[in-house]
Amino acid sequence: MIDPALQARYDQWPEGPIGELLSHRLVALEPERGFARVAFDAVPDFCNPMGIVQGGFQTAMLDEAMTDALLARTDWKFYPPTLEIKASFFEPCRPGVVHAEGLVLKLGKSIAFLEGRLYEPGGALAAVASATTMLRPRTPA
Amino acid sequence: MNDAGPPARPKPTGREGASEPLRRGEGPRDWVAVLKSRRHSGATELLGMEPLELDSAHGRSRIAYEGGLRFTNRAGVVQGGILAAMLDEAMALACVTMDEFRTVVPTLELKVSFVAPAKPGRFVAEGQVVRKGRSVAFAEGRLFGAAGELLATASTTMRIVAREKLGKR
């Protein structure tokens, strides 16, 4: 599904421990469009007392998806710290495999605007988000 | 008459005495002890939640969290969404304490600004209810790092649901 060369480029900069905690993996990537689709395992450890994935953890997943879209769009040339993120929660998200999409709306010289969508395991749109990130030149690995 | 001063309402809105220091055991019950005695959810345990102060009269919370290495990203700082999770919970606790834990407060929307990089450590979140109505509440939050530095600010809109309506205890 994903071009092996693109997957290899993506794998050059692993997300770190948070990526492992969320079981973050790539599903689809379109660098020219600035679009990414990723998957996570939402486990009971992420749930609130109602057995629903807590809003903050959904926000973490949306943040990851939007960052992936931005990294691909900018060919991994920047380190993109998130300045602010706003998420709205439409439907409960139960534990299971969660998909999230990220899209670059506007790419400036030092700032990018992103949006994201999160789909609960049944496929319904559970949450949407928008984010603003900075673009910092990545120091050579 | 003029508009100065808080409106005269029988129910607290969360703004009264906002400049007073938090006091443990405000009101007839020690809500920190109550919260500690309750079964914690997965997310609460994962975040290492430790209640420090809960003020039911003023809708304020002060909660410690463990910003551990497992939450860090490629830059070695705790990921923003995890900070959002801490603030989300702290603001929710500020609200449900006002209702003496008789409600749950699903988040409708949550906005977080990341003011400084969150180096791993023990963080403290402060939640403050801004306005609590019958079915919706507004709250704000701040998250501080191990050295007391401001890491993030947040605002949220929550729906208020009575526990008895859920058919749970």
Side-chain angles (χ1 to χ4, degrees), chain A residues 59 83-89 130-132, chain B residues 84 87-88 91 107-114 139-141 152-157:
Chain A
T59 306
L83 294 174
E84 60 84 26
I85 187 166
K86 158 134 152 116
S88 298
F89 303 99
S130 65
T132 314
Chain B
L87 284 156
D88 188 19
M91 292 188 289
T107 309
L108 292 172
E109 60 84 23
L110 172 68
K111 155 120 155 98
V112 185
S113 295
F114 304 104
E140 294 172 347
T153 62
S155 66
T156 189
T157 314

Side-chain angles (χ1 to χ4, degrees), chain A residues 13-19 21-22 44-50 54-57 59-60 63-64 67-68 71 79 82-89 138, chain B residues 39 41-44 46-47 69-75 77 79-82 84-86 88-89 104 107-115 163 166 168:
Chain A
W13 286 278
E15 168 59 2
I18 184 66
L21 181 71
L22 300 173
D45 273 356
F46 304 161
C47 292
N48 63 18
M50 312 315 307
Q54 200 231 27
F57 284 89
T59 306
D63 194 9
E64 296 284 299
T67 299
D68 278 351
L71 288 170
Y79 162 61
T82 307
L83 294 174
E84 60 84 26
I85 187 166
K86 158 134 152 116
S88 298
F89 303 99
R138 185 185 293 277
Chain B
R39 187 177 56 86
S41 71
T44 303
L46 182 63
L47 297 173
L69 288 173
R70 59 186 156 179
F71 300 135
T72 58
N73 61 16
R74 49 177 70 82
V77 297
Q79 200 245 26
I82 298 298
M86 295 170 179
D88 188 19
E89 186 177 76
V104 294
T107 309
L108 292 172
E109 60 84 23
L110 172 68
K111 155 120 155 98
V112 185
S113 295
F114 304 104
V115 169
R163 278 188 179 274
L166 299 168
K168 305 217 172 180

Side-chain angles (χ1 to χ4, degrees), chain B residues 7-88:
Chain B
R9 295 170 66 98
K11 279 185 172 179
T13 61
R15 269 296 187 213
E16 292 88 343
S19 61
E20 293 172 19
L22 292 172
R23 294 198 301 278
R24 185 186 293 259
E26 178 74 21
R29 298 178 71 178
D30 180 348
W31 296 110
V32 168
V34 170
L35 179 57
K36 282 182 172 173
S37 70
R38 296 171 72 86
R39 187 177 56 86
H40 290 160
S41 71
T44 303
E45 292 287 342
L46 182 63
L47 297 173
M49 190 278 288
E50 185 201 337
L52 302 175
E53 302 188 62
L54 289 173
D55 183 342
S56 64
H58 302 121
R60 295 174 76 176
S61 70
R62 199 159 168 272
I63 315 285
Y65 289 101
E66 198 54 42
L69 288 173
R70 59 186 156 179
F71 300 135
T72 58
N73 61 16
R74 49 177 70 82
V77 297
V78 176
Q79 200 245 26
I82 298 298
L83 305 184
M86 295 170 179
L87 284 156
D88 188 19

Side-chain angles (χ1 to χ4, degrees), chain A residues 21-79:
Chain A
L21 181 71
L22 300 173
S23 301
H24 173 195
R25 58 230 185 236
L26 199 56
V27 173
L29 202 59
E30 296 174 33
E32 308 76 28
R33 190 158 80 94
F35 173 82
R37 186 170 171 90
V38 300
F40 304 95
D41 291 334
V43 295
D45 273 356
F46 304 161
C47 292
N48 63 18
M50 312 315 307
I52 305 253
V53 180
Q54 200 231 27
F57 284 89
Q58 293 187 51
T59 306
M61 296 173 183
L62 284 157
D63 194 9
E64 296 284 299
M66 291 189 283
T67 299
D68 278 351
L70 179 61
L71 288 170
R73 175 73 179 79
T74 54
D75 195 32
W76 291 270
K77 287 192 172 59
F78 295 98
Y79 162 61

